Amino acid sequence: MEITALQFMIICPLVFLAGFVDAVAGGGGLISLPAYMIAGLPVHMAIGTNKLSSGMGTALATWRFARKGYIIWKQAALCVLCALIGSGAGANLALMISDEYFKMIMLVILPVTAFYVMRGHSLDIQKPPYSEKKTTILSMAVAAVIGVYDGFYGPGTGTFLLLLLTAVAHMRLTSANGVAKVINLTTNLTALAVYLLNGKVILILGLTAGCFSIAGNYAGTWFFARWGAKSVKPLMLVVLVIFFIKICSDLIA
């Protein structure tokens, strides 16, 4: 597929913004995936290329969390196995659905996902911890379910993981953040492999956008330390409204 300079100009700044938002408040995928589709990429090509660019940002974030000692590797390793299975299944399922039907599904998934992420559930309340065995089993279940979602669609995965690992598995916030990053990286790379094997990734665009994603993550980390997360949500709403209108117009046309 031939990519124009205009598509780079649309996608790269929005992917930068997505990385920024992801570092500050989570849910950056709700901006990065729409960016590819607003620029005119077919649904499967958009999802596959987005997996490449977002995966680069997630890899950096995972490395930083590992250096800080936030990752419980025993639990994370078992979650990775479940995430591999779930993500691979989700990606293969997505490839079976035509562009038109996928857009119809997105008209339902997008508002629901956006609403859930934008509600801004509090993570400040620490729930009583479970036993190590129970926490691990529940974390594995979360990894498998969200793995299917990330392979199939993706936006909001990091936020969902963090919410469920703290609310369902009763993990501490720092540990949940670290394990969530490992699971998210796994689901990203697994789905990316499926899309690559099916020729649904534009490498030059994904790699270029990935650099903007990394830069956005760094800028978002700096911004969060000074002003917090509240001010980025209106930006997400603007992009989501534009994306929703575009899908509706595509289906009508």
Side-chain angles (χ1 to χ4, degrees):
M1 179 179 176
E2 186 177 347
I3 300 298
T4 66
L6 177 60
Q7 287 174 311
F8 275 95
M9 291 171 65
I10 293 171
I11 291 168
C12 290
L14 285 174
V15 169
F16 173 88
L17 177 61
F20 179 91
V21 168
D22 214 39
V24 176
L30 290 168
I31 294 176
S32 61
L33 179 57
Y36 288 99
M37 295 187 66
I38 289 171
L41 269 69
V43 173
H44 297 109
M45 199 71 77
I47 295 175
T49 308
N50 182 56
K51 293 296 180 189
L52 175 56
S53 59
S54 62
M56 291 170 66
T58 303
L60 174 67
T62 304
W63 175 71
R64 294 178 70 183
F65 272 84
R67 288 195 64 186
K68 291 179 181 293
Y70 291 158
I71 300 174
I72 303 173
W73 287 108
K74 182 179 178 181
Q75 289 179 344
L78 293 171
C79 288
V80 162
L81 294 176
C82 296
L84 279 168
I85 297 169
S87 183
N92 279 293
L93 179 62
L95 288 169
M96 296 177 187
I97 301 172
S98 69
D99 274 24
E100 183 179 355
Y101 285 116
F102 208 110
K103 287 178 180 178
M104 291 179 183
I105 293 171
M106 290 171 74
L107 285 179
V108 177
I109 294 177
L110 181 64
V112 173
T113 306
F115 174 75
Y116 191 79
V117 173
M118 301 293 285
R119 283 181 65 184
H121 293 268
S122 175
L123 296 170
D124 297 332
I125 301 174
Q126 176 66 53
K127 295 189 175 184
Y130 290 136
S131 66
E132 182 180 345
K133 182 179 179 180
K134 186 174 182 178
T135 298
T136 301
I137 292 172
L138 290 171
S139 300
M140 290 168 68
V142 168
V145 172
I146 300 302
V148 173
Y149 170 78
D150 194 28
F152 183 82
Y153 183 55
T157 293
T159 305
F160 288 147
L161 283 169
L162 189 56
L163 290 171
L164 291 174
L165 288 173
T166 52
V168 175
H170 288 201
M171 294 182 70
R172 290 186 299 111
L173 182 57
T174 52
S175 300
N177 237 326
V179 173
K181 290 291 183 291
V182 176
I183 295 171
N184 201 359
L185 180 61
T186 301
T187 56
N188 247 317
L189 295 179
T190 305
L192 174 61
V194 173
Y195 282 99
L196 278 169
L197 289 172
N198 286 274
K200 300 297 182 182
V201 180
I202 303 172
L203 288 174
I204 185 63
L205 177 60
L207 291 170
T208 304
C211 294
F212 279 81
S213 176
I214 290 172
N217 270 280
Y218 269 112
T221 303
W222 175 85
F223 181 91
F224 180 73
R226 288 159 177 77
W227 290 288
K230 293 181 180 179
S231 57
V232 304
K233 290 190 176 181
L235 296 173
M236 295 176 71
L237 282 174
V238 171
V239 175
L240 288 173
V241 169
I242 294 171
F243 181 42
F244 194 81
I245 292 171
K246 184 182 187 301
I247 290 179
C248 290
S249 64
D250 287 347
L251 290 173
I252 293 171

